[in-house]
Amino acid sequence: LLVQIAKAFPRARVVGVDIDAQSLQSARRRAQEAGVADRIDVRQGTVAQAAQAERFDAAVMVEVLHEIAPGLRAGVMRETARALKPGGWMVIVDETYPTTLEQAREAEFKFPLHTGFEELLWGNVIPTREEQEALLRQAGFSGEIERSLIGEGFTVLATRKPA
Ligand SMILES: C[S@@+](CC[C@H](N)C(=O)[O-])C[C@H]1O[C@@H](n2cnc3c(N)ncnc32)[C@H](O)[C@@H]1O
């Protein structure tokens, strides 16, 4: 993800945050191989630890929200909101769990249901639309939340920090 962002935005400086050392090692290696390591900074820890005084134009979480322990999600979202500049973009790509049994029968929820089942052993819990939106609202994102479906069942959520 970091490499793709660095390539798509050639003047951007990109900071990657993860709690897992192995993921960070792999990100560093890929950045080196892609020749963009000079614009990518990879930091281990929480968002609050990794982004103390800096403020960013955008925060992007791809396949991360459902991997964050449910009890930590509100805090991570608040820390991420705080790390953004006013007007900064919060973009989340993740699966959305069906809220009702009727939704569970719809094609767009097939993949999220499968992921939820498969990753249960890792402790991952896929959030519903209501849970995703409540997390964003609680973190202070009071504006429009754009929502679209891509691929086999990934949701893209985009909203901006109030100016
Ligand atoms: C599926 S991977 C993300 C893949 C990445 N977006 C990419 O494009 O390669 C999910 C990551 O979320 C990280 N993660 C889980 N809980 C976290 C937390 N509380 N804070 C930061 N990262 C976390 C995991 O360590 C894991 O590396």
Side-chain angles (χ1 to χ4, degrees), residues 1 17-20 23 45-46 62-64 67-69 72 76:
L1 175 69
V17 180
D18 203 303
I19 49 170
D20 177 52
S23 301
T46 64
V62 177
E63 285 292 279
V64 170
E67 292 210 7
I68 299 174
L72 300 179
V76 172

Side-chain angles (χ1 to χ4, degrees), residues 18-80:
D18 203 303
I19 49 170
D20 177 52
Q22 225 176 335
S23 301
L24 294 170
Q25 214 172 11
S26 148
R28 279 194 197 98
R29 181 178 43 77
R30 287 175 189 210
Q32 291 283 356
E33 286 167 3
V36 289
D38 57 328
R39 290 189 292 116
I40 292 183
D41 185 1
V42 173
R43 302 175 188 170
Q44 186 171 8
T46 64
V47 176
Q49 288 164 343
Q52 291 182 354
E54 289 158 287
R55 294 295 173 263
F56 295 86
D57 297 304
V60 184
M61 288 185 187
V62 177
E63 285 292 279
V64 170
L65 183 60
H66 80 269
E67 292 210 7
I68 299 174
L72 300 179
R73 287 178 190 167
V76 172
M77 204 62 84
R78 267 198 308 274
E79 290 172 13
T80 309

Side-chain angles (χ1 to χ4, degrees), residues 65-105:
L65 183 60
H66 80 269
E67 292 210 7
I68 299 174
L72 300 179
R73 287 178 190 167
V76 172
M77 204 62 84
R78 267 198 308 274
E79 290 172 13
T80 309
R82 197 181 54 85
L84 284 172
K85 293 176 185 168
W89 282 97
M90 176 79 210
V91 180
I92 297 172
V93 180
D94 203 16
E95 282 109 306
T96 301
Y97 207 75
T99 305
T100 62
L101 262 180
E102 286 69 32
Q103 280 183 350
R105 296 186 188 101

